[in-house]
Amino acid sequence: MPVLVMKFGGTSVATLDRIRRAAKRVGVEVAKGYDVIVIVSAMSGKTNELVGWVGETSKFYDAREYDAVVSSGENVTAGLMALTLQEMDVPARSWQGWQVPLKTNAVHSSARIEEIPTDNINAKFAEGMKVAVVAGFQGISPDGRITTLGRGGSDTTAVAFAAAFGAERCDIYTDVDGVYTTDPRVSSKARKLDKIAFEEMLELASLGAKVLQTRSVELAMRFGVRLRVLSSFEEQSDEAGTLVCAEEDIMENRPVSGIAFSREEAKMTLISVADRPGIAAAIFGPLAEAGINVDMIIQNIAEEGRTDMTFSCPTDQVGRAEKALNAAKDKGDINFHDLVADTNVAKVSAVGIGMRSQSGVAAQMFKTLSDEGINIKVIATSEIKISVLIDRKYLELAVQALHDTFELEKP
Ligand code: ADP
Ligand code: ASP
Ligand code: MG
């Protein structure tokens, strides 16, 4: 039988009614002749609540116990989904990550999938089971502890299952009807895309578009999984939603395809560090060891042998970054006058594979922001993206203005 993977996010399983609705969608695919693997998230808000409980209980928590707690939301929805399907006379069984077993490395709270053996689930399909409901977001480490795949990780569970089982398609059901030119919650002019290239989706996701976890896009690209994003709230045809596909399958050629943003960005500046060979390594080495995701970097022009070094990182890593840099200072590896963290910034990015062949996109972006009176604090570019750090209060204005400038509402 052909296999289909269907993933339902938090809002799509937020209530028993919604689980029933999702189960009906699964029933439609079973009736078409598919063996279906359903990946479920926790009910919406549940994982946030669990994360909050862990933080309230223990400030510097043991990541293994964090995973034990926050993975539990998915267990509930997996069981409820299997029961709902059984009530509809669809033969279904639930699996927690360790039962599959979905094997990961031991990096708790952001583990990577290493292997998904298919025999357990395939044996059940062979016995006539039609739907395997798998708890998303969770796995098991080499030493037998529960792991989680990072926030939004059920998308990655889904794509990894699609790759492991050679699924015909991996459908990600969520609360929007596809991937838009920007977050439709921020711009009413956002337009749904019928198709988006893997590379663009990868950039959008890693620059803040939460509709797909970055790692899920990486895996889909690597294993050639047909990945589709669509709404669990609307009746669906086979062409619904957005298909994430190879660049060659897209006819459009505009410089910018989408605007992504991240509110949870901070800017850190080391004031007056010695401008000598090896200084960047002495600063960013300890940050890398502390697991800080440094994104943008600028080094000012030196004056009298000293300079300022600025970088951006996620807001929730500021404390750890400060600790790592102060420790390096105490050891005498670096020397700075002050360390200033600005947590009132946001990152806005324009993404498009068309940038490779069209020049002037950066200038157009800077002009738009300047016309709105928005000051740019840091700039970073790559072949297919331009990112700027700005004051967070201008975030919505910047996204809307850039969406207009690049005429993204026009098909
Ligand atoms: P789920 O719980 O189904 O995994 P998420 O909240 O993780 O859903 O992702 C869906 C959300 O992603 C949407 O509600 C939307 O606000 C947000 N989003 C951000 N950028 C985009 C975009 N470019 N296109 C569509 N949705 C986006
Ligand atoms: N429930 C997890 C989260 O909220 C995983 C997911 O929904 O993808 O991050
Ligand atoms: Mg999600």
Side-chain angles (χ1 to χ4, degrees):
M1 291 284 184
V3 173
L4 196 65
V5 171
M6 303 170 76
K7 179 253 171 179
F8 293 92
T11 35
S12 311
V13 292
T15 61
L16 297 184
D17 241 10
R18 290 199 185 161
I19 292 179
R20 245 174 258 131
R21 206 174 164 135
K24 273 195 201 141
R25 284 278 331 144
V26 176
V28 170
E29 301 297 348
V30 170
K32 285 186 198 162
Y34 287 107
D35 281 345
V36 180
I37 299 176
V38 173
I39 309 293
V40 285
S41 288
M43 288 174 162
S44 107
K46 192 70 211 172
T47 311
N48 285 346
E49 182 182 48
L50 296 168
V51 170
W53 287 349
V54 170
E56 271 179 53
T57 307
S58 165
K59 190 156 178 249
F60 296 106
Y61 51 75
D62 178 335
R64 283 161 294 203
E65 301 310 335
Y66 167 96
D67 279 351
V69 175
V70 306
S71 62
S72 65
E74 271 71 10
N75 297 344
V76 175
T77 33
L80 289 173
M81 176 64 84
L83 284 173
T84 309
L85 287 159
Q86 288 173 3
E87 286 297 312
M88 291 164 44
D89 291 327
V90 177
R93 182 61 65 210
S94 74
W95 268 268
Q96 295 182 8
W98 66 271
Q99 292 172 301
V100 173
L102 186 149
K103 299 181 188 172
T104 70
N105 64 13
V107 183
H108 285 275
S109 83
S110 54
R112 287 200 167 220
I113 298 174
E114 290 185 338
E115 194 194 344
I116 303 181
T118 54
D119 25 334
N120 279 342
I121 288 177
N122 274 337
K124 282 283 175 194
F125 278 139
E127 285 170 19
M129 177 194 70
K130 297 309 294 176
V131 183
V133 185
V134 179
F137 180 50
Q138 51 173 263
I140 182 168
S141 73
D143 55 353
R145 307 285 334 165
I146 305 298
T147 53
T148 61
L149 308 178
R151 296 305 305 271
S154 298
D155 297 329
T156 302
T157 310
V159 174
F161 267 85
F165 283 80
E168 202 171 286
R169 214 175 49 235
C170 179
D171 285 343
I172 305 284
Y173 285 87
T174 183
D175 56 359
V176 282
D177 61 350
V179 178
Y180 278 69
T181 47
T182 193
D183 189 338
R185 288 176 213 282
V186 167
S187 171
S188 56
K189 292 187 190 165
R191 176 174 57 90
K192 185 180 83 77
L193 299 164
D194 291 333
K195 287 179 177 180
I196 185 163
F198 283 124
E199 290 88 343
E200 287 176 329
M201 192 62 239
L202 198 57
E203 288 283 5
L204 288 175
S206 70
L207 295 166
K210 288 192 176 125
V211 62
L212 286 173
Q213 198 196 33
T214 310
R215 183 89 186 111
S216 73
V217 186
E218 268 169 26
L219 282 184
M221 195 164 145
R222 174 136 66 97
F223 293 103
V225 171
R226 273 175 76 80
L227 180 61
R228 190 166 68 140
V229 177
L230 68 175
S231 164
S232 64
F233 301 117
E234 289 164 23
E235 287 307 313
Q236 298 298 357
S237 69
D238 277 352
E239 279 80 47
T242 301
L243 188 68
V244 189
C245 59
E247 205 177 303
E248 301 81 70
D249 299 335
I250 296 179
M251 305 301 277
E252 257 188 89
N253 187 21
R254 43 169 89 214
V256 173
S257 305
I259 309 291
F261 58 85
S262 162
R263 276 177 230 276
E264 294 92 29
E265 210 65 25
K267 175 167 88 83
M268 301 194 71
T269 305
L270 289 138
I271 307 213
S272 186
V273 289
D275 187 27
R276 57 165 172 84
I279 188 64
I283 293 170
F284 295 105
L287 288 172
E289 268 165 41
I292 307 298
N293 299 101
V294 172
D295 179 25
M296 308 156 122
I297 299 175
I298 38 172
Q299 181 177 349
N300 288 14
I301 292 177
E303 246 180 75
E304 291 168 13
R306 301 198 73 85
T307 185
D308 295 343
M309 187 81 87
T310 299
F311 64 90
S312 71
C313 70
T315 321
D316 61 359
Q317 297 181 359
V318 166
R320 260 194 294 148
E322 282 172 341
K323 201 171 151 197
L325 291 170
N326 283 320
K329 188 180 185 187
D330 291 345
K331 275 194 353 202
D333 295 345
I334 47 174
N335 163 344
F336 51 85
H337 285 181
D338 206 358
L339 175 57
V340 184
D342 179 355
T343 51
N344 284 314
V345 292
K347 182 168 65 186
V348 182
S349 311
V351 172
I353 44 182
M355 274 184 216
R356 286 191 197 126
S357 51
Q358 296 190 39
S359 58
V361 180
Q364 221 179 332
M365 179 164 178
F366 303 153
K367 169 91 170 51
T368 304
L369 296 172
S370 141
D371 288 348
E372 297 293 341
I374 301 171
N375 187 32
I376 299 172
K377 295 174 172 240
V378 187
I379 300 169
T381 63
S382 80
E383 207 186 13
I384 65 163
K385 72 124 200 261
I386 302 158
S387 298
V388 295
L389 220 54
I390 58 171
D391 272 333
R392 192 171 303 146
K393 64 180 176 206
Y394 297 125
L395 176 62
E396 280 78 8
L397 177 62
V399 170
Q400 286 156 9
L402 291 170
H403 200 271
D404 285 347
T405 292
F406 294 113
E407 301 185 324
L408 297 181
E409 76 283 6
K410 289 196 191 148

